[in-house]
Amino acid sequence: MTVIKGITGTLLGMWTTWKHIFGRPVTIRYPEEKRIPSPRFRARIVLTRDPDGEERCVACYLCSAACPVDCISMQSAERDNGRRYPSWFRINFSRCIFCGMCAEACPTMAIQMTPDYEICNRDIMNLVYEKEDLLIDGCGKAPTYNYYHHAGIGVTQPRGTAAEENPPVDRRTLLP
Amino acid sequence: MTGSFIDIALMLGKIGLILLVILLLAAYMVLAERKLLGYIQERLGPNRAGWWGLLQPLADGIKLITKEDVKPAGADKWLFYLAPAMAAIPAIMIFAVIPFGPPLTLFGREVTQQVIDLNVGLLFFLAFSSIAVYGVALGGWASNSKYSLLGGIRGLAQLISYEIPLGLSLVPVVMLARSFQLSEIVAAQQSCWFIVYQPLAFIIFLISIFAECKRIPFDLPEAEGELVAGFHTEYSGMRFGLFFVGEYINIIVLGALAATFFLGGWHGPLLPPVVWLLIKVLAVAFLFIWVRGTLPRMRYDQLMHFGWKILTPLALVNILATGWFIVLKG
C-alpha cells in the first residue's frame, strides 16, 4: 500500500511540474517589458502644488516625524503674508522604504507617492533628492484641494471667507 | 605506413569530435537545466546573455575562468588540485565505449562509430563510474573543511549503496545480449528494445544513475540545505566549474548508457543513428532535469534503506526471473 502511495505521489508531483513547464511564466523580461503599476503604487515621492500653482507644503514636519526611517528633513520658513514653506526639503531615497506614512501624515496633500519605481542609481548621492527635484508642477492626486482655502488663516483670502467658514461676527450685535 | 597514419588521424579525429560535442552539450545542458527549472517554477530562466540566453554558457565560462582560485589554509594541495579532474575525467572516459552508429566505410577502411569497442565495455563503465567517486571523496577530504568532508563521506556511502543495484540491473541486459560488448548489446536490440523485456531493470538502473550523478533526489554529497555545498564547498573558479561540468557530462554519458542498454542504442527508423542516440540522451537528460524540478532530497538513511533493502533484492529477483525465462525458452 505504501509502495503504491509513494509511486502515485511521485507521479502526481511529476505531472504537476510537467503542467507548469507549459504554463505562462509569471515573471517578465523587465527592461523590455514593464509592468504598469496601479496609480496607488507607492514609489518615488513628490511634492505637489495647489491649484493656484503655489507649493502646498507648509513645513509642519509631520512627514518627517511619521517617517520610520528618518529619511525626510526640512527647514521651515514663513513668508510675509503668513504662508509657511520649507526653505529646503530633502528626501534621502537610499533610506526611504516607500511605506507611504509621510503621504498619510501630510495635512495639506503636499507630499504624495507616485508609481515611478525606476529611480535606482549607480551613485548613492544621486538618491538624495532636494526640494527642486521633488517639487512638481501639478496637483497630483488631489486636483482641487487647496489647504489655505480651508485653513481659516488669512493667507489666500481675507479671514472669514474660506470655504467652510462664516464671516466674523460683530460681537456688539449680540449684546442684549 | 600511410595506412596506419590514416588510422591514427581517424582515431584522433573521432576523439576530438566526441570531446567537443560532449563539452558543448554539457555546457548547454546547464542552460537547458536552468531554463527548464525556470519554466517549472513559472519563471523565464536566464535570458540576458544572447538571444533566449543562448550565450549564457559562454558567460558562465568566462566568469568561472576569471574568478580567483582559492585554496583553503591547511588543504592538501595536490589532492585538492587533482580532485576536480578526478571527478570529470572518468565521466568523459566512459564515452569511449559508447557506440553511436553502425560502422562506416571511410578511406577504404571500416571505421567503427565508437572510440574503442572493448569486449568488456560494460565492466569498463562500472569501473570508471566507481572511480569518479574518488574525485568527490578526495575533494571533500582535501578541502580541510567539515562540510566538504561530510559531503565526501556521503558520496562514498552513497556509492556503495547504489553501485550494487546498478551492477545487478545490468546483469539481465548481459544475459539477454550474451555479451559485455556495448556494440553487441546494441545489436541485440535491433528488433526489440530491452526496456520491453526488462522494465524493472530499467527502473532500477534509472534510479541508480540518479544516485550515480549525485542529483536530486540523491544529491546528498552536495545537499546545499545541510552541507553548504558538500564536497565542493571550498572550491572556486574553474575547479568548481570542473566539478560542475563533470556532473553534466555524467548526465549525458549516463543518458547515453541508458539508451545503449535499454532504449536500443542508435537504432531507430528514418533518422540517422547519431541523431537517434542524441534524441534518447536528451530525453533521459530531460527526465533528470524534470525530476530535479519535482522531488525533494531524500534523507541519508532513506537512501541507504532504499538501496540495500529494496533495490538490491529487487534486482536479484529480476536476475533470477530473467535466467528462469531464458532457460525455459531454451
Side-chain angles (χ1 to χ4, degrees):
Chain A
M1 208 50 216
T2 46
V3 174
I4 295 166
K5 244 176 118 178
I7 291 171
T8 49
T10 307
L11 292 182
L12 267 175
M14 301 282 281
W15 169 240
T16 307
T17 45
W18 174 263
K19 278 189 299 187
H20 280 267
I21 292 175
F22 304 102
R24 221 182 91 124
V26 293
T27 54
I28 55 168
R29 297 157 45 83
Y30 162 61
E32 290 89 31
E33 301 168 44
K34 287 175 183 169
R35 282 194 210 291
I36 298 167
S38 84
R40 297 177 59 180
F41 194 87
R42 298 196 309 264
R44 184 167 62 91
I45 298 168
V46 292
L47 285 175
T48 57
R49 291 174 187 272
D50 62 27
D52 303 337
E54 297 279 354
E55 53 186 281
R56 274 176 170 155
C57 179
V58 295
C60 64
Y61 293 96
L62 277 179
C63 49
S64 176
C67 182
V69 290
D70 288 343
C71 70
I72 304 176
S73 50
M74 71 190 86
Q75 176 60 54
S76 70
E78 198 169 320
R79 284 193 210 144
D80 292 338
N81 63 357
R83 186 178 180 116
R84 286 165 58 87
Y85 68 99
S87 59
W88 52 266
F89 193 103
R90 187 176 295 144
I91 298 182
N92 184 353
F93 279 108
S94 63
R95 293 184 79 169
C96 181
I97 56 169
F98 304 100
C99 61
M101 298 271 205
C102 49
E104 275 184 45
C106 187
T108 64
M109 302 281 217
I111 192 164
Q112 292 185 8
M113 314 293 285
T114 64
D116 174 23
Y117 54 89
E118 292 174 305
I119 58 169
C120 58
N121 208 293
R122 291 215 178 259
D123 182 8
I124 200 163
M125 287 315 286
N126 290 343
L127 287 172
V128 179
Y129 278 43
E130 295 293 339
K131 188 172 157 189
E132 54 270 26
D133 308 316
L134 294 163
L135 206 57
I136 61 166
D137 283 333
C139 303
K141 291 173 207 171
T144 56
Y145 182 70
N146 190 329
Y147 168 71
Y148 284 105
H149 288 171
H150 304 268
I153 43 175
V155 171
T156 54
Q157 67 280 318
R159 299 197 70 156
T161 57
E164 299 95 359
E165 205 176 16
N166 292 324
V169 175
D170 187 359
R171 276 167 295 152
R172 285 164 201 276
T173 60
L174 299 174
L175 287 172
Chain B
M1 189 61 210
T2 46
S4 66
F5 177 74
I6 290 175
D7 277 338
I8 292 167
L10 275 173
M11 186 53 100
L12 286 178
K14 263 196 301 198
I15 292 171
L17 198 69
I18 289 174
L19 258 181
L20 194 76
V21 169
I22 299 180
L23 289 177
L24 217 72
L25 262 181
Y28 275 92
M29 196 65 87
V30 180
L31 176 66
E33 166 147 51
R34 290 173 64 182
K35 270 279 176 194
L36 259 171
L37 283 181
Y39 283 119
I40 286 173
Q41 294 159 9
E42 302 204 324
R43 294 183 284 115
L44 287 161
N47 60 358
R48 291 292 97 192
W51 181 76
W52 208 66
L54 281 180
L55 295 179
Q56 189 67 41
L58 196 72
D60 287 345
I62 292 169
K63 181 195 131 187
L64 285 173
I65 288 169
T66 51
K67 277 220 163 181
E68 189 190 352
D69 185 17
V70 182
K71 182 181 80 71
D76 188 322
K77 190 177 163 196
W78 286 107
L79 283 182
F80 186 78
Y81 286 162
L82 210 63
M86 286 176 78
I89 290 172
I92 305 176
M93 292 287 280
I94 295 170
F95 219 91
V97 293
I98 293 169
F100 42 90
L104 289 176
T105 310
L106 282 178
F107 305 112
R109 66 197 70 226
E110 197 169 76
V111 182
T112 52
Q113 289 196 46
Q114 188 174 10
V115 173
I116 182 160
D117 196 6
L118 279 182
N119 56 1
V120 287
L122 195 146
L123 298 179
F124 179 85
F125 150 59
L126 287 176
F128 266 87
S129 72
S130 310
I131 285 177
V133 86
Y134 276 99
V136 173
L138 291 178
W141 183 76
S143 294
N144 191 30
S145 148
K146 51 186 170 296
Y147 296 118
S148 301
L149 184 60
L150 279 171
I153 291 170
R154 282 188 182 191
L156 281 175
Q158 185 171 322
L159 171 96
I160 50 167
S161 54
Y162 71 73
E163 277 284 275
I164 292 168
L166 179 68
L168 290 179
S169 72
L170 291 177
V171 172
V173 172
V174 176
M175 287 160 87
L176 286 171
R178 292 170 192 277
S179 173
F180 279 117
Q181 205 168 342
L182 295 201
S183 56
E184 297 277 317
I185 291 172
V186 172
Q189 297 178 74
Q190 188 152 21
S191 53
C192 189
W193 296 359
F194 282 166
I195 187 175
V196 179
Y197 299 126
Q198 293 293 340
L200 188 62
F202 177 66
I203 288 166
I204 294 169
F205 179 76
L206 208 60
I207 293 169
S208 304
I209 61 176
F210 272 106
E212 161 83 30
C213 53
K214 298 180 281 296
R215 287 184 56 92
I216 284 173
F218 305 116
D219 64 337
L220 293 157
E222 301 184 20
E224 66 270 10
E226 311 152 32
L227 301 181
V228 190
F231 60 92
H232 56 55
T233 305
E234 302 294 342
Y235 283 90
S236 59
M238 207 53 214
R239 291 187 200 285
F240 164 74
L242 213 53
F243 269 126
F244 205 63
V245 166
E247 183 183 322
Y248 286 90
I249 292 173
N250 230 340
I251 294 175
I252 296 164
V253 166
L254 292 170
L257 283 166
T260 307
F261 292 140
F262 292 100
L263 303 176
W266 43 263
H267 285 301
L270 296 172
L271 295 169
V274 182
V275 177
W276 266 110
L277 187 69
L278 193 66
I279 289 171
K280 288 165 187 173
V281 169
L282 292 182
V284 177
F286 174 76
L287 185 70
F288 271 82
I289 296 166
W290 184 17
V291 166
R292 178 174 171 189
T294 307
L295 297 181
R297 182 182 310 119
M298 274 182 129
R299 221 168 49 216
Y300 190 49
D301 59 313
Q302 284 171 331
L303 170 66
M304 297 287 152
H305 175 87
F306 192 59
W308 286 107
K309 292 191 191 162
I310 297 174
L311 288 185
T312 309
L314 260 182
L316 281 170
V317 169
N318 191 36
I319 291 169
L320 281 177
T322 310
W324 194 52
F325 274 110
I326 288 174
V327 167
L328 276 187
K329 267 179 74 183

